[in-house]
Amino acid sequence: MQTAMATSLGSVAPLVCGAMSGCACWIPVYPIDVVKTLVQNTEGGDSDGNAINVAMQLYNDEGVGAFFNILTPEMLRASVNHAVTFWVYDLMMGVLV
């Protein structure tokens, strides 16, 4: 049973819903991913390389915006990736069921 929105969007619905859900999933965890990447990139196993110290240093140096620095390219990648994945899943469910 399809909702009215899914019916009006037709075959584009899985693409739109996949793109929106992909972006919605990335936004809350993106700051954590930025800190994780910085921790992994510390050279020589620095003792200050733990996640809390790295996050505090990043915030003190660059502010809140540093946690969302390259969010736009990530959202473009996530929207395309999740849109196609959701569309293929919906297509396969239609074939298999």
Side-chain angles (χ1 to χ4, degrees), residues 4 25-26 38 49 53 57 59 64 83 90:
C25 289
W26 260 105
L38 290 173
N53 288 342
Q57 185 66 38
Y59 178 76
V64 163
D90 191 53

Side-chain angles (χ1 to χ4, degrees), residues 11-80:
S11 62
V12 179
L15 292 170
V16 172
C17 293
M20 289 175 20
S21 66
C23 291
C25 289
W26 260 105
I27 289 172
V29 298
Y30 193 74
I32 298 167
D33 190 57
V34 169
V35 172
K36 176 212 43 121
T37 302
L38 290 173
V39 168
Q40 289 176 340
N41 288 337
T42 55
E43 293 183 24
D46 211 3
S47 61
D48 286 348
N50 70 49
I52 293 176
N53 288 342
V54 168
M56 287 174 36
Q57 185 66 38
L58 183 62
Y59 178 76
N60 290 335
D61 290 347
E62 301 179 40
V64 163
F67 293 101
F68 298 97
N69 213 5
I70 57 168
L71 187 61
T72 302
E74 192 63 41
M75 288 299 102
L76 291 173
R77 184 196 65 81
S79 63
V80 171

